[in-house]
């Protein structure tokens, strides 16, 4: 059966969404278009393959992405996440459904219109950098503008702007082979940003990088998002990466989305054992805010303690809470919503089975 989606956060109206995906399917195999809406559509992946010779790589997926949001899609290998992002850009043609980009259905766009959207409205960054080895860094970045017909002076001026933006100062005249993997991926990001896209799709862009460079690149994406406010759809199999980058996360299994929500929602209320297994090694104190542990004042407790904002991550709030002699007041927009003490923090940490935040 198609997995039900638990989505604690509200679905926004399509008109307000940067991206609105509805009932998206991608079925590979003979007579694939006959699967959607048929009794076979409810079969498991293995049963569908045995019965029809088809594989449902993306199965009835729906979600909205807000303007300026980083929306992360994650799952194990074979879960359908990379197929999904390729369907959103029509690098793979979906079997059924709709994908609205600022209200325009990408799936009904003519070939000419689709080329225009790919040149100007959205861009993609892949795990494999795809740089042109015979061109210098600045030429690789300017290439995305060159194919858009931008005049030479204008495209190189823009390329130089983006070089500074992504931390490539001094590397404009280097060739890709002279750069580390992290620097090459910065070139890929710069090339994607050069056209000033409305939406960026990033398909496991840092998977091939070593851990230290990967961490630096994650920080770079966070910085760029903070500075530019771009809408991003980020694909990853790494939950720590998803938790660090995502405003909301969709977890996929066998082509379907099994849960969708903020990092805090996923950690606080996993939908099933599959999601619980994903988040098992994520310390709750690193994700949950003090809202999750706020509670009423108990008899005999002092109500004159210090204040802390309700959105503060428990890990970050711990020094204040542990150091306070009285219960700490949890405040939301100037309104008291509860209290927390060191005992509340220690209980949360203890539920993680770790020694400290």
């Amino acid at each position: 059966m198609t997995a039900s989606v638990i989505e604690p956060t509200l679905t926004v109206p399509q008109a307000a969404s940067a991206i609105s995906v509805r009932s998206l399917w991608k079925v590979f195999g003979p007579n694939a278009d006959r699967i959607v809406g048929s009794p076979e559509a409810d079969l498991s992946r293995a049963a569908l393959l045995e019965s029809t010779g088809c594989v449902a790589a993306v199965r009835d997926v729906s979600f909205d992405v807000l303007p300026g949001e980083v929306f992360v899609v994650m799952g194990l290998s074979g879960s359908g996440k990379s197929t999904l992002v390729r369907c959103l850009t029509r690098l793979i043609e979906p079997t059924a459904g709709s994908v609205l980009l600022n209200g325009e259905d990408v799936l009904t766009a003519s070939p000419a219109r689709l080329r225009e959207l790919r040149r100007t409205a959205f861009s993609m960054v892949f795990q494999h950098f795809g740089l042109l080895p015979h061109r210098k860094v600045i030429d690789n970045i300017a290439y995305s503008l060159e194919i858009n017909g931008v005049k030479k002076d204008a495209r190189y001026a823009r390329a130089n702007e983006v070089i500074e933006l992504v931390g490539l100062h001094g590397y404009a005249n280097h060739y890709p082979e002279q750069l580390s993997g992290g620097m090459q991926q910065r070139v890929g990001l710069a090339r994607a940003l050069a056209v000033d896209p409305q939406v960026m799709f990033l398909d496991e862009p840092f998977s091939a990088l070593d851990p230290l460079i990967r961490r630096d690149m994650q920080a770079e994406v966070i910085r760029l998002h903070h500075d530019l406010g771009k809408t991003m759809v980020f694909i990853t199999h790494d939950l720590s990466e998803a938790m660090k980058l995502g405003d909301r996360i969709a977890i996929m299994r066998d082509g379907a989305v099994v849960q969708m929500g903020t990092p805090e929602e996923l950690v606080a209320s996993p939908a099933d054992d599959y999601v619980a297994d994903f988040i098992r090694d994520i310390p709750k104190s690193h994700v949950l805010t003090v809202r999750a542990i706020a509670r009423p004042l108990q008899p005999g407790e002092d109500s004159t303690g210090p204040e802390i904002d309700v959105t503060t991550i428990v890990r970050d709030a711990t020094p204040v809470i542990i150091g306070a002699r009285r219960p700490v007041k949890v405040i939301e927009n100037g309104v008291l919503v509860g209290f927390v003490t060191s005992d509340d923090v220690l209980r949360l940490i203890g539920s993680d089975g770790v020694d400290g935040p």
Side-chain angles (χ1 to χ4, degrees):
M1 299 247 341
T2 301
S4 59
V5 178
I6 294 181
E7 185 179 1
T9 48
L10 295 176
T11 299
V12 296
Q14 292 187 38
S17 304
I19 304 169
S20 184
V21 179
R22 291 292 179 269
S23 302
L24 192 68
W25 287 79
K26 178 56 187 178
V27 181
F28 294 100
N31 301 312
D33 56 329
R34 298 182 183 178
I35 300 299
V36 180
S38 73
E40 285 84 2
D42 290 328
L43 296 175
S44 68
R45 175 173 284 187
L48 179 65
L49 178 61
E50 182 178 357
S51 175
T52 67
C54 292
V55 174
V58 175
R59 185 185 287 262
D60 197 20
V61 169
S62 298
F63 60 86
D64 291 283
V65 181
L66 289 168
E69 182 177 27
V70 179
F71 186 85
V72 174
V73 182
M74 68 161 299
L76 299 176
S77 178
S79 62
K81 57 189 185 298
S82 289
T83 302
L84 172 62
V85 75
R86 283 164 169 76
C87 285
L88 300 184
T89 57
R90 282 182 64 187
L91 292 176
I92 294 175
E93 289 290 346
T95 305
S98 64
V99 177
L100 273 61
L101 177 65
N102 292 325
E104 178 180 357
D105 193 347
V106 176
L107 305 191
T108 63
S110 67
R113 178 56 180 160
L114 183 59
R115 288 193 295 271
E116 179 69 16
L117 289 171
R118 287 174 176 165
R119 287 197 301 262
T120 61
F122 55 79
S123 59
M124 290 197 68
V125 181
F126 295 96
Q127 176 181 343
H128 302 291
F129 316 126
L131 303 181
L132 301 172
H134 61 289
R135 291 195 175 203
K136 297 177 181 179
V137 165
I138 193 166
D139 299 319
N140 268 279
I141 296 170
Y143 181 70
S144 59
L145 297 167
E146 181 181 342
I147 62 175
N148 280 350
V150 177
K151 293 183 182 298
K152 185 175 181 178
D153 288 348
R155 66 177 182 257
Y156 278 93
R158 173 60 178 165
N160 277 306
E161 289 176 5
V162 181
I163 280 174
E164 296 294 327
L165 186 64
V166 301
L168 286 170
H169 177 75
Y171 291 92
N173 292 313
H174 284 61
Y175 287 94
E177 65 178 12
Q178 298 173 301
L179 305 179
S180 67
M183 296 302 282
Q184 288 184 44
Q185 193 57 286
R186 287 177 187 268
V187 180
L189 282 172
R191 184 176 56 189
L193 286 167
V195 297
D196 194 22
Q198 300 168 33
V199 177
M200 295 183 67
F201 296 98
L202 301 99
D203 187 10
E204 301 205 61
F206 310 142
S207 294
L209 305 178
D210 69 52
L212 292 178
I213 296 176
R214 183 170 186 161
R215 185 178 63 190
D216 290 344
M217 292 305 299
Q218 291 166 354
E220 189 68 17
V221 167
I222 292 170
R223 183 186 69 80
L224 287 171
H225 181 256
H226 180 268
D227 291 347
L228 303 177
K230 293 291 182 186
T231 304
M232 298 183 181
V233 177
F234 194 102
I235 308 299
T236 183
H237 65 269
D238 185 322
L239 182 62
S240 296
E241 185 168 76
M243 292 283 177
K244 182 183 293 187
L245 299 179
D247 295 312
R248 285 187 301 142
I249 301 168
I251 298 180
M252 294 188 71
R253 177 182 58 200
D254 292 341
V257 174
V258 295
Q259 187 168 5
M260 195 182 306
T262 65
E264 184 173 13
E265 288 167 343
L266 297 183
V267 169
S269 303
D272 57 20
D273 290 343
Y274 178 78
V275 179
D277 192 50
F278 257 116
I279 60 94
R280 180 181 56 193
D281 295 328
I282 299 294
K284 294 183 177 68
S285 61
H286 291 200
V287 178
L288 299 181
T289 64
V290 291
R291 181 195 299 276
I293 58 173
R295 42 79 173 176
L297 193 70
Q298 301 299 312
E301 289 183 330
D302 191 331
S303 64
T304 61
E307 298 181 356
I308 197 164
D309 189 82
V310 71
T311 62
T312 308
I313 300 295
V314 171
R315 178 186 58 182
D316 298 334
T318 296
V320 174
I321 297 170
I322 297 294
R325 297 182 179 180
R326 297 177 292 276
V328 174
K329 291 182 278 190
V330 179
I331 303 297
E332 182 175 23
N333 297 324
V335 178
L336 179 68
V337 297
F339 295 83
V340 294
T341 66
S342 57
D343 287 343
D344 301 315
V345 171
L346 292 173
R347 275 193 293 273
L348 179 67
I349 294 171
S351 70
D352 285 329
V354 296
D355 296 329

